Amino acid sequence: MTDQSSAVESGAPEIPGKPTSASRTTLSHIMTHSDTNLLGTVHGGVIMKLVDDAAGAVAGRHSGGPAVTASMDEMVFLEPVRVGDLVHVKAQVNWTGRTSMEVGVRVLAERWNESTPATQVGSAYLVFAAVDADGRPRTVPPVLPETERDKRRYEEAQIRRTHRLARRRAIRELREKRAAEGFED
């Protein structure tokens, strides 16, 4: 049983799906000296904030209201970003559950004053939970993949979800076992 079909079987009204393109967005920002780390390149935390901002906008658009970051995984930095780079953070919903969404993000950079193509400098996957005004989980519309690339991303997101849940379960079981043996964390 999928997360979406469980809402229908429980008597909750079915929410119409939204195509991937309905919430896809790009956030662009020029990197300045205030964004640098001790090595003189852009601080990874600055890039992570831009990633979270773009992913949050996409999650809010898709869910039609507030959504909070539940997790970020597989944040990969491929190339350093420099002062003067124009950074583009491209985000889209890859997969939806009943109350959560995986948002995929690609980070590209190009020199602000050159006409060379942008280079991918990073990527990440974030999970957002849609919440109501009281902070309780609320149902999200299913995502409707439109292209073959969207379909591939949807299938890959399901694999990542399975791995996240298995990892969480294995850690919980290990902690319970250690607690039963008298070890404290």
Side-chain angles (χ1 to χ4, degrees):
M1 175 168 44
T2 66
D3 285 342
Q4 295 299 330
S5 64
S6 63
V8 173
E9 291 174 12
S10 69
E14 187 171 349
I15 299 174
K18 288 186 177 180
T20 307
S21 61
S23 58
R24 187 179 289 142
T25 195
T26 300
L27 173 69
S28 297
H29 188 78
I30 294 177
M31 299 291 106
T32 66
H33 287 286
S34 65
D35 299 318
T36 60
N37 59 27
L38 295 175
L39 298 175
T41 57
V42 173
H43 194 287
V46 170
I47 300 301
M48 290 174 77
K49 170 132 178 29
L50 293 173
V51 164
D52 191 46
D53 287 347
V58 166
R61 281 181 174 183
H62 183 82
S63 67
V68 296
T69 310
S71 70
M72 174 188 272
D73 58 30
E74 297 187 38
M75 179 72 207
V76 177
F77 297 99
L78 302 169
E79 300 282 337
V81 177
R82 301 172 294 156
V83 169
D85 280 354
L86 177 58
V87 172
H88 307 285
V89 183
K90 298 176 176 283
Q92 75 172 50
V93 174
N94 289 336
W95 176 89
T96 53
R98 190 177 59 77
T99 62
S100 64
M101 303 155 272
E102 183 194 91
V103 178
V105 180
R106 286 183 350 171
V107 183
L108 301 116
E110 61 182 307
R111 296 306 294 169
W112 70 273
N113 60 349
E114 297 176 8
S115 60
T116 56
T119 303
Q120 184 170 350
V121 295
S123 65
Y125 300 102
L126 296 88
V127 176
F128 279 80
V131 294
D132 64 17
D134 296 320
R136 290 187 303 258
R138 62 184 175 79
T139 306
V140 299
V143 67
L144 305 174
E146 299 172 281
T147 66
E148 287 304 313
R149 176 184 264 181
D150 293 341
K151 290 173 188 170
R152 175 187 54 80
R153 288 179 176 172
Y154 184 89
E155 291 171 1
E156 290 173 357
Q158 288 178 304
I159 293 168
R160 282 187 292 275
R161 179 177 186 270
T162 299
H163 288 200
R164 278 191 292 267
L165 293 174
R167 182 178 61 232
R168 188 180 309 149
R169 185 173 42 256
I171 290 170
R172 184 179 60 244
E173 290 170 0
L174 177 62
R175 288 180 179 170
E176 290 170 356
K177 177 184 174 208
R178 293 193 43 86
E181 294 170 350
F183 294 101
E184 292 184 29
D185 284 339

